[in-house]
Amino acid sequence: MIAASLFPTGLTLSLAPFVQQPFMATPMANPSPSKDHRSLAEGLDSAELAGAQAHTQGMRRRSSRHRASRLWDRESPPVASGDRTVVGPRKESPAQNDEMRTTVMMRNLPNNFSRDDLLHLIDSRGFSGRYDFIYCPIDFRTHASLGYAFINCVSPQDAVAFRAAFDGFSLWGTPISKVCNVVWSAPHQGLECHIARYRNSPLMHESVPEAYRPVLFAEGARVEFPAPTKRIKPPRQGTERMLV
């Protein structure tokens, strides 16, 4: 017997059932055999077993990342044509707090709301001169609002007041059942951040109507957006050029 020549007598006896008897399939009534039993039944040595376990764990991690990516895609609001920066779910960063943030995102706006409609609403609620940036993304195909907007307030205190005033707002002046939701903008916060984001954006191309672009204000008056620092490409969706 090979086992008798390689192992002590006591060990030979303990391994004899596995050496001499063929492996029997696990009954269906017990679908989850122990790890030790599986390793012996499958004939894996310690290195092979470790490799198999590592492979399984890697597959589980990749599956988890894939599910998280799909969840992100479902929760993300649409992106305006010409704006190449994807707007993801609005998660508030623990590194920031209400004393620092100035940019908010208004969601669930009426799709027939233009930028001028939104400006009129904001000013009528006592916020004239209390914001310096606004952008209302527009669908370049339907020419309708995408239902959300970014507003940067001049101070963190104004931003907190803005959230309190418009979160839950529904008095649109038309029979629309939408209820506004206001959250902190993420990851972009602050006026300088938004200027840097948009000054070289395809949104600033000459083919884009002025009403579709982000705008700046100073003390309640409209001011020019800083000039681009490089050549601006026309807006495209995939390979198709928009607004032509």
Side-chain angles (χ1 to χ4, degrees):
M1 180 184 299
I2 297 176
S5 63
L6 296 178
F7 303 102
T9 303
L11 185 59
T12 301
L13 292 176
S14 62
L15 294 178
F18 299 99
V19 175
Q20 297 176 359
Q21 298 180 11
F23 170 69
M24 301 299 292
T26 303
M28 293 300 292
N30 183 22
S32 301
S34 68
K35 184 186 298 185
D36 292 339
H37 184 79
R38 282 200 306 271
S39 63
L40 288 172
E42 296 170 359
L44 297 178
D45 61 21
S46 59
E48 291 172 333
L49 181 59
Q53 290 173 339
H55 175 73
T56 300
Q57 292 173 354
M59 292 293 291
R60 289 174 178 171
R61 286 194 295 269
R62 286 192 291 272
S63 177
S64 297
R65 289 195 296 268
H66 179 67
R67 287 195 300 270
S69 175
R70 290 176 61 87
L71 179 60
W72 177 277
D73 292 340
R74 288 198 300 270
E75 293 181 350
S76 300
V79 180
S81 301
D83 183 357
R84 297 175 182 270
T85 304
V86 175
V87 180
R90 300 291 129 189
K91 296 183 178 181
E92 298 184 4
S93 171
Q96 295 179 319
N97 54 49
D98 294 358
E99 297 179 354
M100 298 171 57
R101 292 179 284 201
T102 57
T103 309
V104 299
M105 178 186 184
M106 297 181 75
R107 301 192 291 194
N108 293 333
L109 298 176
N111 293 97
N112 61 350
F113 243 44
S114 67
R115 187 185 68 196
D116 288 343
D117 292 331
L118 182 58
L119 288 171
H120 176 73
L121 172 65
I122 293 173
D123 290 347
S124 69
R125 294 284 163 170
F127 286 90
S128 178
R130 299 172 69 181
Y131 57 89
D132 50 24
F133 170 89
I134 186 168
Y135 172 46
C136 302
I138 300 294
D139 188 321
F140 286 177
R141 292 186 182 277
T142 65
H143 303 282
S145 166
L146 289 176
Y148 63 98
F150 298 97
I151 298 93
N152 187 71
C153 297
V154 298
S155 72
Q157 293 76 20
D158 287 322
V160 172
F162 191 99
R163 289 192 68 181
F166 288 102
D167 192 39
F169 181 85
S170 60
L171 302 177
W172 308 111
T174 55
I176 297 176
S177 60
K178 283 191 171 185
V179 177
C180 183
N181 175 225
V182 184
V183 297
W184 294 118
S185 171
H188 303 284
Q189 274 288 327
L191 179 61
E192 293 183 1
C193 181
H194 284 86
I195 290 176
R197 179 185 182 187
Y198 290 110
R199 69 187 306 176
N200 294 316
S201 166
L203 288 168
M204 296 301 185
H205 190 267
E206 59 183 9
S207 65
V208 178
E210 190 278 332
Y212 294 6
R213 303 178 186 182
V215 290
L216 299 178
F217 296 85
E219 298 181 355
R222 174 83 178 270
V223 296
E224 291 294 326
F225 220 91
T229 59
K230 61 182 181 181
R231 180 176 175 272
I232 296 179
K233 298 180 180 180
R236 295 180 179 275
Q237 191 168 42
T239 58
E240 180 185 359
R241 180 171 171 177
M242 308 300 294
L243 301 172
V244 293

